[in-house]
Amino acid sequence: MTVDTQTDTFSVQYLAAEDISIAASLIYQAYHDDPMLQTLLNYIENNKSAYEKKLRSLIREELSTFWQEKQPLIGLYRDEKLKAVACVFESNSQLQAQRYWHWRLKLMLSAGFLQTNQLIEKEKTIRDALKEQGNYYFLAFIAVDPHFHGQGLGRYLLRGLNDLVKSNLNATGMAVFVTRKEHSEFFKTEGFKALKQLTFNKIEGDLLFK
């Protein structure tokens, strides 16, 4: 998908290998203050560095798994430079809640045993809540370069993901789980509907579907 404006050209396309590290940085910045991840990764105000190390490890392992399993890593490019990224997986893919043993081992060593199991349990609960949706896509991460917030890049990227769903005749739609009201409202303006409210470690979030 390509969108031309008076001054820029936006394109939504599969992520290039050389942009993986940039994507990781964008995701890290977008999710650094996510209340769910802060809870699951044991954020402590006077020891932020430990939390940040766990978060970087989680993002690194997730991106590596998505790439190896050829699940959609979609980038929004502005004049050929990556400005936003979305990580998506298909529900009938090999990316089950337990992932692979090497993924779990790496994450346990970096994030911790308890935190890893909590993340797995969170994903399993979400999958169970989506069973009736058939074969859907799940939006695991979406991030926009913070220097370009408020310019509609997230909307361009989501509309590119619409094309991804439409191109798969077996896909029923796309799901996303968000923990902030403003994010929930944003997705609803793009056609997502609230399915269910879920709570993990006293943090509530909305499961949305389109």
Side-chain angles (χ1 to χ4, degrees), residues 154-168:
R155 295 189 185 277
Y156 285 133
L157 184 54
L158 280 181
R159 291 166 190 175
L161 295 181
N162 289 341
D163 294 339
L164 173 69
V165 176
K166 291 176 182 177
S167 68
N168 185 345

Side-chain angles (χ1 to χ4, degrees), residues 43-208:
Y43 175 87
I44 300 174
E45 182 66 33
N46 61 2
N47 191 11
K48 293 181 181 180
S49 61
Y51 162 75
E52 291 171 347
K53 181 179 179 181
K54 293 176 183 179
L55 180 60
R56 291 184 190 279
S57 296
L58 170 64
I59 293 169
R60 182 176 62 249
E61 297 305 331
E62 288 284 70
L63 283 175
S64 175
T65 304
F66 273 70
W67 184 264
Q68 291 173 16
E69 293 306 314
K70 296 180 172 59
Q71 292 302 298
L73 294 174
I74 310 296
L76 173 71
Y77 290 82
R78 182 179 187 176
D79 299 326
E80 300 184 355
K81 294 182 179 180
L82 182 66
K83 298 302 177 186
V85 62
C87 304
V88 182
F89 66 81
E90 199 171 350
S91 61
N92 67 356
S93 72
Q94 295 297 315
L95 289 181
Q96 299 302 318
Q98 288 79 16
R99 297 289 200 268
Y100 293 114
W101 67 267
H102 63 270
W103 179 90
R104 294 189 70 187
L105 178 61
K106 286 182 179 179
L107 198 56
M108 283 177 185
L109 291 173
S110 56
F113 178 81
L114 178 61
Q115 287 84 0
T116 299
N117 282 337
Q118 288 177 332
L119 287 165
I120 291 171
E121 183 61 29
K122 167 180 168 284
E123 187 172 322
K124 182 179 183 299
T125 300
I126 291 173
R127 282 182 176 273
D128 288 344
L130 289 167
K131 278 184 178 179
E132 295 182 359
Q133 303 304 324
N135 180 37
Y136 56 88
Y137 284 101
F138 187 83
L139 178 56
F141 294 109
I142 183 168
V144 175
D145 186 327
H147 297 97
F148 295 91
H149 283 176
Q151 297 186 25
L153 272 64
R155 295 189 185 277
Y156 285 133
L157 184 54
L158 280 181
R159 291 166 190 175
L161 295 181
N162 289 341
D163 294 339
L164 173 69
V165 176
K166 291 176 182 177
S167 68
N168 185 345
L169 298 179
N170 296 318
T172 60
M174 180 168 290
V176 64
F177 177 73
V178 295
T179 55
R180 292 181 175 176
K181 184 177 180 180
E182 63 269 27
H183 293 166
S184 182
E185 294 304 318
F186 167 72
F187 280 103
K188 288 176 181 177
T189 64
E190 287 297 317
F192 284 78
K193 306 294 183 183
L195 278 185
K196 192 173 184 180
Q197 190 172 73
L198 301 174
T199 302
F200 302 96
N201 285 28
K202 300 181 180 180
I203 303 295
E204 294 182 346
D206 293 325
L207 184 59
L208 308 171

